[in-house]
Each structure stands twice: as structure tokens, then as C-alpha cells.
DNA sequence: TCGCAGGACAA
DNA sequence: TTGTCC
DNA sequence: GCGA
């Protein structure tokens, strides 16, 4: 029994029941609060340099792993089941088990209470949700006394993107029904095929993961027939975005395809710099569209057909799944991105460099296969524990053996032999 | 003690 | 390069 | 905060 006198986890059961949650959902919620708190720069906002300060990003990451482990518990775990994840789940250690014990005994986490009783921390977690406000700006804004969205609106130093986003703040918070996303994909697809009949539109993100509601829309354009060496797809965004405005779908841009960068000093040398090329040729667009009278966030991407598989994998997410699948790829001796999959090696401290060409990737399943990971349907791509080592059938991040790179896969020559279709 | 995904866009 | 986004 |  704990300090409250309640034994057998009764305090935890009560706390969960009070919120209408299962014990598991309540525990996950507590740790998700910790992850969100560190994302918002908890321990960076306070001037006092406390133990462990300056590790917010890593702790956000850490608590995401913990949440993934907790999600896979039963609805009402007993103490033995909670304690077991300390030994069974990669990334869950002593400090986390101590927090679980605290929850079991008292139904609360002191760290969560500390954060929720700290008005500055509460403000950071609120304001970081605004587009264009990240960990750095939120710490500075809150230090300057900003506490609410209203406070933020008073500022005269907001970026244009943040101002646009704030115009529609209320609408952008509303969940988007699945059907609306399919409609937008079709409208974009129609406009796209008018511009170039080789273009097709695919809705990705949480829509493709089967969710009935989403927070934004992710639509990918594929330029059929475009292969390595083609740059045609880079010009699509600057052509289609004005058409989507004319169509009445888009209302505001958060990025501006084709916009020429403004320099303090415009020199001839700068004109040939890569950043200029990137600005004129864009593959990514972020903006606001209107569907059924409600403004929504829309992300657009355009890729050549030979990058369809890695791009589809990447923009289907989830974000957590991508991070852990990329880590698995690294452990197998590869770098994975929306652009492709290529062998890579660790060069110096914190530096991984390509050691071979991108491989030809025929499908999402092909990528899983090369990495010896179990294929996951989009609806099953949630978190760390969904990345499964197909040689063991167990979560990739679980055992020493499963994390060891496979010689047959990291030896580039043998890999090329098995996958002869490397692309250049 | 070190790394924790990787890349695109804005400024 | 830094900050932010996905 | 954890694991290599
Ligand atoms: Mg933000
Ligand atoms: Mg989305």
C-alpha cells in the first residue's frame, strides 16, 4: 500500500475512473503529458539550471517510447504487468518504473502536477501548438510575459505564417471528417491532371492510416513516368498552387512556391546558390484551404514516380512510426527518407554519410522487405512497437540480437547482388 | 559520454 | 545557420 | 531518460 493508505492500486483505479478512462488510458495520458511538456521546453523555460536541463527533445522522445510501451498493456494492468515493461520494453528503465510505482500508489505523478501548477509551463504548452511557434520562440515569448492566444495576437512581431494561422485558429482546431479529405484529394487530382495528365493525387497522413477524423490533410502528387534525373516534378507546385487558388480551394499560403528569396545584399554570387534553386523549384507546399465553409490545413507534395514508394511511406506516417523505422534502417546500415533508401555508414561523431546509391523501390512492402521488417498496413503504423524485426517476429527495439545489423544486408556488394536494381 | 530521422522551407 | 514544420 |  502507498502513502494514502489505499492498497492494490486502488488510488490509480480511482484516478482513472474519475476521468472516465481505463487504467491504461489514464497512465498513457500522464506520460503523454510529460512528453508534451518537454516538447514545449519544460526545464528550458526556468532560469534555474536544474538536473537534466537542456535535454527536452530527448525527453520528449523518451516519453514517446514509454507511451508506446504503455499502449500495449491490458486495460487494467496489475503491478506485475506494469513492472514487467521495465525489463521487456526497450527504452523503459528505472526512473520510469519509479514513476509507474508512484502512479500505482497515489494515482498521480508529482512531475505532472509540478508542470500543471506552473503557469509559464501551461502557457508554453498552449502556445507551441501555434504554427510557426516552436520550442525556441515559445520559451522566449513566455519569458516576455505572453500567456494566452489573445496575448499572442497583440504582438506586432509575428511571422506572416503565424498571423495567417491565427486568423483561422478556431476552425483549424476542429477535426476534419474523413469524407472531406477524399473530396479535396479528388478536386486537387482534377486540377492536377488539367495541368499535366501524368499527375495523380493520393491522400496520405492519418487519412491513409484509416482514421475517421484528421487534424490536417496530406495530399501527394505523383508525376507518372518521371524517373531519376528528371526535375520536371519540381515545377509542378508553382503551377498548381495558383490554379487551386483560382478553383476556390486554397485561401492562404504558408509557403510560397516560386517565390524568389529576399536578400539584404543581392549579389551575383548568391543567384547561383542552392537556396535559390530550392525556392524556385519546390516539392513541398503548406497552406490553408476551405471545405464546406471551414478552413483547413493542407500539405501538398510532388514526387517523380520512381520515388513514389518511399514518399508514400513517409507521408503516411505516423510521425513516431517514421522515426523508429528510420532508426531501424540505420541499425541495418541504411538511411531512409521520403527520397529513397541507401546504404550509409557512420563517419565522424554524429555524422552518417551515404555509402552507396539509392535502391530501386517498387512498393512500400519492398522497403520493409529490404530492411527485414514485417510489413505493416498503414492502419498499424503507430509507434515504436509497430516496427517489427521479421527475422525474429519481435519488436525491432527489443533485444541485443534484433538490433544487430545483418551482414547480408549491410554488405553493399552482396546487397547489390540481391537487389541489382540500384539507381543512380 | 554520446545519440536520439531526415529533409524542406522561411528568414 | 537557426527555427520550424511534417 | 535510456541504451550502446
Ligand atoms: Mg508550433
Ligand atoms: Mg495529417
Amino acid at each position: 500500500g502507498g502513502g494514502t493508505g489505499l492498497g492494490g492500486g486502488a488510488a490509480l483505479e480511482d484516478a482513472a475512473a474519475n476521468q472516465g478512462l481505463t487504467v491504461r488510458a489514464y497512465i498513457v495520458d500522464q506520460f503523454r503529458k510529460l512528453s508534451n511538456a518537454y516538447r514545449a521546453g519544460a526545464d528550458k523555460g526556468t532560469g534555474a539550471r536544474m538536473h537534466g536541463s537542456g535535454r527536452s527533445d530527448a525527453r520528449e522522445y523518451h516519453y514517446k517510447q514509454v507511451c508506446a510501451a504503455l499502449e500495449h498493456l491490458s486495460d487494467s494492468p496489475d503491478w506485475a504487468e506494469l513492472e514487467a515493461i521495465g525489463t521487456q520494453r526497450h527504452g523503459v528503465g528505472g526512473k520510469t518504473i519509479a514513476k509507474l510505482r508512484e502512479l500505482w500508489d497515489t494515482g498521480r505523478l508529482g512531475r505532472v502536477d509540478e508542470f500543471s501548477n506552473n503557469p509559464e509551463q501551461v502557457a508554453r504548452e498552449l502556445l507551441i501548438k501555434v504554427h510557426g511557434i516552436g520550442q525556441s520562440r515559445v520559451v522566449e515569448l513566455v519569458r516576455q510575459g505572453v500567456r494566452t492566444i489573445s496575448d499572442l495576437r497583440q504582438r506586432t512581431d509575428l511571422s506572416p505564417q503565424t498571423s495567417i494561422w491565427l486568423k483561422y485558429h478556431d476552425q483549424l482546431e476542429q477535426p476534419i471528417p474523413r469524407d472531406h479529405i477524399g473530396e479535396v484529394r479528388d478536386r486537387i487530382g482534377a486540377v492536377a491532371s488539367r495541368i499535366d495528365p501524368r499527375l495523380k493525387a493520393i491522400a496520405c497522413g492519418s487519412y491513409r492510416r484509416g482514421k475517421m477524423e484528421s487534424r490536417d490533410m496530406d495530399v501527394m502528387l505523383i508525376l507518372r513516368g518521371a524517373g531519376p534525373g528528371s526535375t520536371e516534378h519540381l515545377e509542378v507546385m508553382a503551377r498548381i498552387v495558383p490554379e487551386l487558388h483560382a478553383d476556390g480551394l486554397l485561401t492562404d499560403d504558408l509557403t510560397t512556391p516560386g517565390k524568389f528569396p529576399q536578400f539584404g545584399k543581392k549579389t551575383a554570387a548568391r543567384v547561383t546558390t542552392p537556396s535559390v534553386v530550392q525556392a524556385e523549384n519546390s516539392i513541398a507546399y503548406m497552406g490553408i484551404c476551405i471545405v464546406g465553409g471551414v478552413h483547413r490545413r493542407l500539405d501538398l507534395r510532388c514526387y517523380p514516380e520512381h520515388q513514389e514508394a518511399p514518399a508514400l511511406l513517409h507521408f503516411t506516417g505516423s510521425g513516431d512510426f517514421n522515426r523508429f523505422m528510420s532508426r531501424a534502417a540505420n541499425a541495418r546500415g541504411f538511411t531512409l527518407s521520403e527520397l529513397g533508401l541507401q546504404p550509409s555508414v557512420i563517419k565522424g561523431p554524429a555524422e552518417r554519410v551515404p555509402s552507396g546509391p539509392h535502391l530501386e523501390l517498387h512498393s512500400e512492402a519492398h522497403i520493409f522487405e529490404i530492411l527485414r521488417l514485417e510489413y505493416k498496413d498503414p492502419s498499424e503504423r503507430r509507434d515504436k512497437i509497430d516496427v517489427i524485426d521479421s527475422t525474429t517476429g519481435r519488436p525491432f527495439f527489443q533485444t541485443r540480437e534484433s538490433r544487430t545489423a545483418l551482414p547480408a544486408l549491410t554488405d553493399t556488394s552482396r546487397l547489390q547482388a540481391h537487389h541489382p536494381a540500384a539507381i543512380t
Side-chain angles (χ1 to χ4, degrees), chain A residues 158-271:
Chain A
L158 300 179
S159 70
Q161 294 85 351
T162 294
S163 297
I164 289 167
W165 192 92
L166 284 172
K167 278 201 295 183
Y168 308 116
H169 172 232
D170 291 344
Q171 297 173 55
L172 297 176
E173 297 273 285
Q174 297 172 25
I176 308 171
R178 180 175 182 80
D179 292 350
H180 291 207
I181 300 179
E183 287 170 23
V184 166
R185 174 205 54 211
D186 292 343
R187 284 177 68 176
I188 293 173
V191 172
S193 55
R194 243 171 40 216
I195 287 177
D196 189 325
R198 295 173 296 170
L199 287 169
K200 69 173 170 183
I202 305 171
C204 299
S206 52
Y207 175 91
R208 187 158 178 267
R209 297 202 307 278
K211 301 291 187 195
M212 293 307 297
E213 294 180 333
S214 300
R215 296 196 65 253
D216 62 10
M217 319 195 198
D218 302 289
V219 178
M220 193 170 77
L221 296 170
I222 296 295
L223 187 61
R224 284 182 285 235
S230 167
T231 57
E232 279 185 285
H233 69 286
L234 298 174
E235 294 161 34
V236 167
M237 220 45 88
R239 296 182 59 198
I240 196 171
V241 164
E243 293 296 322
L244 293 173
H245 275 285
D247 193 60
L249 181 63
L250 292 179
T251 63
D252 299 85
D253 301 328
L254 297 171
T255 64
T256 311
K259 181 175 176 181
F260 199 88
Q262 297 300 303
F263 299 122
K265 280 190 252 178
K266 200 182 283 187
T267 69
R270 287 304 292 269
V271 174

Side-chain angles (χ1 to χ4, degrees), chain A residues 6-42:
Chain A
L6 294 172
L12 177 55
E13 286 178 26
D14 287 350
N18 281 341
Q19 299 190 13
L21 299 173
T22 64
V23 168
R24 179 192 59 225
Y26 176 80
I27 297 174
V28 170
D29 190 51
Q30 298 303 300
F31 283 93
R32 191 144 285 147
K33 282 177 176 169
L34 292 180
S35 182
N36 290 337
Y38 285 109
R39 175 172 72 107

